Short mmCIF file of all heavy atoms in Angstrom, two decimals:
data_model
loop_
_atom_site.label_atom_id
_atom_site.label_comp_id
_atom_site.label_asym_id
_atom_site.label_seq_id
_atom_site.Cartn_x
_atom_site.Cartn_y
_atom_site.Cartn_z
N ILE A 1 80.81 32.65 81.49
CA ILE A 1 80.56 31.27 81.08
C ILE A 1 81.55 30.34 81.80
O ILE A 1 82.75 30.59 81.81
CB ILE A 1 80.67 31.12 79.55
CG1 ILE A 1 79.55 31.92 78.86
CG2 ILE A 1 80.62 29.66 79.13
CD1 ILE A 1 78.15 31.46 79.21
N SER A 2 81.01 29.30 82.42
CA SER A 2 81.74 28.30 83.22
C SER A 2 82.02 28.75 84.65
O SER A 2 82.73 28.05 85.38
CB SER A 2 83.06 27.86 82.56
OG SER A 2 82.80 27.06 81.43
N ASN A 3 81.46 29.88 85.09
CA ASN A 3 81.78 30.27 86.47
C ASN A 3 81.07 29.41 87.51
O ASN A 3 81.48 29.40 88.68
CB ASN A 3 81.58 31.77 86.72
CG ASN A 3 80.15 32.25 86.59
OD1 ASN A 3 79.23 31.47 86.44
ND2 ASN A 3 79.98 33.56 86.63
N THR A 4 80.07 28.63 87.12
CA THR A 4 79.52 27.67 88.09
C THR A 4 80.53 26.56 88.40
O THR A 4 80.50 25.98 89.49
CB THR A 4 78.20 27.04 87.60
OG1 THR A 4 78.42 26.39 86.35
CG2 THR A 4 77.10 28.08 87.47
N SER A 5 81.43 26.28 87.45
CA SER A 5 82.47 25.29 87.71
C SER A 5 83.44 25.81 88.77
O SER A 5 83.78 25.10 89.73
CB SER A 5 83.23 24.96 86.42
OG SER A 5 82.39 24.31 85.49
N SER A 6 83.87 27.05 88.63
CA SER A 6 84.73 27.66 89.64
C SER A 6 84.03 27.71 90.99
O SER A 6 84.63 27.41 92.03
CB SER A 6 85.14 29.08 89.22
OG SER A 6 86.20 29.05 88.31
N ALA A 7 82.76 28.08 90.98
CA ALA A 7 82.00 28.18 92.23
C ALA A 7 81.89 26.82 92.91
O ALA A 7 81.99 26.72 94.15
CB ALA A 7 80.62 28.76 91.97
N ALA A 8 81.69 25.77 92.13
CA ALA A 8 81.59 24.42 92.70
C ALA A 8 82.91 24.00 93.34
O ALA A 8 82.94 23.40 94.42
CB ALA A 8 81.17 23.43 91.62
N LEU A 9 84.02 24.30 92.67
CA LEU A 9 85.34 23.97 93.22
C LEU A 9 85.60 24.74 94.52
O LEU A 9 86.08 24.18 95.51
CB LEU A 9 86.43 24.28 92.20
CG LEU A 9 86.49 23.35 90.99
CD1 LEU A 9 87.31 23.98 89.86
CD2 LEU A 9 87.10 22.00 91.39
N LEU A 10 85.27 26.02 94.52
CA LEU A 10 85.45 26.83 95.73
C LEU A 10 84.53 26.35 96.85
O LEU A 10 84.94 26.27 98.02
CB LEU A 10 85.19 28.30 95.41
CG LEU A 10 86.21 28.97 94.49
CD1 LEU A 10 85.69 30.31 94.00
CD2 LEU A 10 87.56 29.15 95.20
N MET A 11 83.32 26.02 96.49
CA MET A 11 82.38 25.50 97.48
C MET A 11 82.93 24.25 98.14
O MET A 11 82.92 24.11 99.38
CB MET A 11 81.04 25.19 96.82
CG MET A 11 80.04 24.49 97.73
SD MET A 11 78.56 23.98 96.83
CE MET A 11 77.74 22.99 98.10
N SER A 12 83.42 23.32 97.35
CA SER A 12 83.95 22.07 97.88
C SER A 12 85.15 22.34 98.79
O SER A 12 85.29 21.73 99.86
CB SER A 12 84.34 21.13 96.74
OG SER A 12 84.71 19.86 97.24
N TYR A 13 86.01 23.27 98.38
CA TYR A 13 87.19 23.59 99.19
C TYR A 13 86.80 24.17 100.55
O TYR A 13 87.31 23.74 101.59
CB TYR A 13 88.09 24.57 98.44
CG TYR A 13 89.29 25.00 99.25
CD1 TYR A 13 90.42 24.19 99.34
CD2 TYR A 13 89.29 26.20 99.97
CE1 TYR A 13 91.52 24.56 100.10
CE2 TYR A 13 90.39 26.58 100.73
CZ TYR A 13 91.50 25.76 100.79
OH TYR A 13 92.58 26.12 101.56
N PHE A 14 85.90 25.14 100.57
CA PHE A 14 85.59 25.84 101.81
C PHE A 14 84.62 25.08 102.71
O PHE A 14 84.64 25.26 103.93
CB PHE A 14 85.05 27.24 101.51
CG PHE A 14 86.10 28.18 100.99
CD1 PHE A 14 86.07 28.62 99.68
CD2 PHE A 14 87.14 28.59 101.80
CE1 PHE A 14 87.05 29.48 99.18
CE2 PHE A 14 88.13 29.45 101.32
CZ PHE A 14 88.08 29.89 100.01
N THR A 15 83.76 24.25 102.14
CA THR A 15 82.77 23.53 102.94
C THR A 15 83.16 22.08 103.20
O THR A 15 82.56 21.43 104.06
CB THR A 15 81.40 23.52 102.25
OG1 THR A 15 81.48 22.76 101.04
CG2 THR A 15 80.93 24.94 101.94
N GLU A 16 84.12 21.56 102.42
CA GLU A 16 84.53 20.16 102.47
C GLU A 16 83.40 19.21 102.06
O GLU A 16 83.39 18.03 102.44
CB GLU A 16 85.08 19.80 103.86
CG GLU A 16 86.31 20.63 104.25
CD GLU A 16 86.90 20.22 105.59
OE1 GLU A 16 86.29 19.40 106.29
OE2 GLU A 16 88.00 20.72 105.92
N ILE A 17 82.48 19.72 101.28
CA ILE A 17 81.43 18.89 100.69
C ILE A 17 81.97 18.30 99.39
O ILE A 17 82.60 19.01 98.61
CB ILE A 17 80.17 19.73 100.42
CG1 ILE A 17 79.57 20.21 101.74
CG2 ILE A 17 79.13 18.93 99.62
CD1 ILE A 17 78.43 21.20 101.57
N PRO A 18 81.76 17.01 99.12
CA PRO A 18 82.29 16.40 97.89
C PRO A 18 81.84 17.14 96.63
O PRO A 18 80.71 17.64 96.56
CB PRO A 18 81.73 14.97 97.92
CG PRO A 18 81.43 14.71 99.37
CD PRO A 18 81.03 16.03 99.95
N ILE A 19 82.72 17.17 95.64
CA ILE A 19 82.42 17.85 94.37
C ILE A 19 81.10 17.37 93.77
O ILE A 19 80.33 18.16 93.23
CB ILE A 19 83.58 17.61 93.37
CG1 ILE A 19 84.74 18.57 93.66
CG2 ILE A 19 83.11 17.83 91.93
CD1 ILE A 19 84.48 20.01 93.26
N SER A 20 80.82 16.10 93.89
CA SER A 20 79.60 15.55 93.28
C SER A 20 78.34 16.21 93.82
O SER A 20 77.31 16.26 93.14
CB SER A 20 79.52 14.04 93.52
OG SER A 20 79.50 13.75 94.91
N GLU A 21 78.41 16.74 95.05
CA GLU A 21 77.25 17.40 95.65
C GLU A 21 77.26 18.91 95.41
O GLU A 21 76.32 19.60 95.80
CB GLU A 21 77.21 17.12 97.15
CG GLU A 21 77.05 15.65 97.50
CD GLU A 21 77.01 15.41 98.99
OE1 GLU A 21 76.44 16.25 99.71
OE2 GLU A 21 77.57 14.39 99.44
N CYS A 22 78.32 19.39 94.79
CA CYS A 22 78.45 20.83 94.53
C CYS A 22 78.13 21.21 93.09
O CYS A 22 77.91 22.38 92.78
CB CYS A 22 79.87 21.29 94.85
SG CYS A 22 80.41 20.97 96.54
N VAL A 23 78.14 20.24 92.20
CA VAL A 23 77.99 20.50 90.76
C VAL A 23 76.54 20.36 90.34
O VAL A 23 75.89 19.34 90.60
CB VAL A 23 78.87 19.52 89.94
CG1 VAL A 23 78.61 19.70 88.45
CG2 VAL A 23 80.34 19.74 90.25
N GLY A 24 76.03 21.40 89.66
CA GLY A 24 74.68 21.37 89.13
C GLY A 24 74.68 21.54 87.62
O GLY A 24 75.71 21.36 86.96
N SER A 25 73.56 21.95 87.09
CA SER A 25 73.40 22.03 85.63
C SER A 25 73.97 23.30 85.03
O SER A 25 74.11 23.41 83.82
CB SER A 25 71.93 21.91 85.26
OG SER A 25 71.18 22.98 85.80
N GLY A 26 74.30 24.29 85.90
CA GLY A 26 74.86 25.53 85.37
C GLY A 26 73.89 26.19 84.41
O GLY A 26 72.74 26.46 84.74
N THR A 27 74.36 26.43 83.18
CA THR A 27 73.52 27.10 82.19
C THR A 27 72.67 26.13 81.39
O THR A 27 72.16 26.49 80.34
CB THR A 27 74.39 27.93 81.22
OG1 THR A 27 75.47 27.12 80.76
CG2 THR A 27 74.94 29.17 81.91
N GLY A 28 72.52 24.91 81.89
CA GLY A 28 71.57 24.01 81.24
C GLY A 28 72.10 22.67 80.79
O GLY A 28 71.60 22.11 79.81
N LEU A 29 73.07 22.10 81.49
CA LEU A 29 73.58 20.77 81.13
C LEU A 29 72.53 19.70 81.41
O LEU A 29 71.77 19.79 82.38
CB LEU A 29 74.84 20.45 81.95
CG LEU A 29 76.11 21.24 81.62
CD1 LEU A 29 77.19 20.90 82.65
CD2 LEU A 29 76.60 20.92 80.22
#
């Protein structure tokens, strides 16, 4: 639970894509 948050942070770090474009609904937000 919440590992999409970690994945979004890692994605932004390694790709340099803004966090806003890395964050999705996860388990249903």
Side-chain angles (χ1 to χ4, degrees):
I1 295 299
S2 289
N3 64 8
T4 58
S5 294
S6 280
L9 289 163
L10 292 167
M11 173 187 172
S12 187
Y13 177 81
F14 289 111
T15 66
E16 299 183 352
I17 295 172
I19 280 287
S20 60
E21 298 180 37
C22 302
V23 174
S25 62
T27 48
L29 290 173

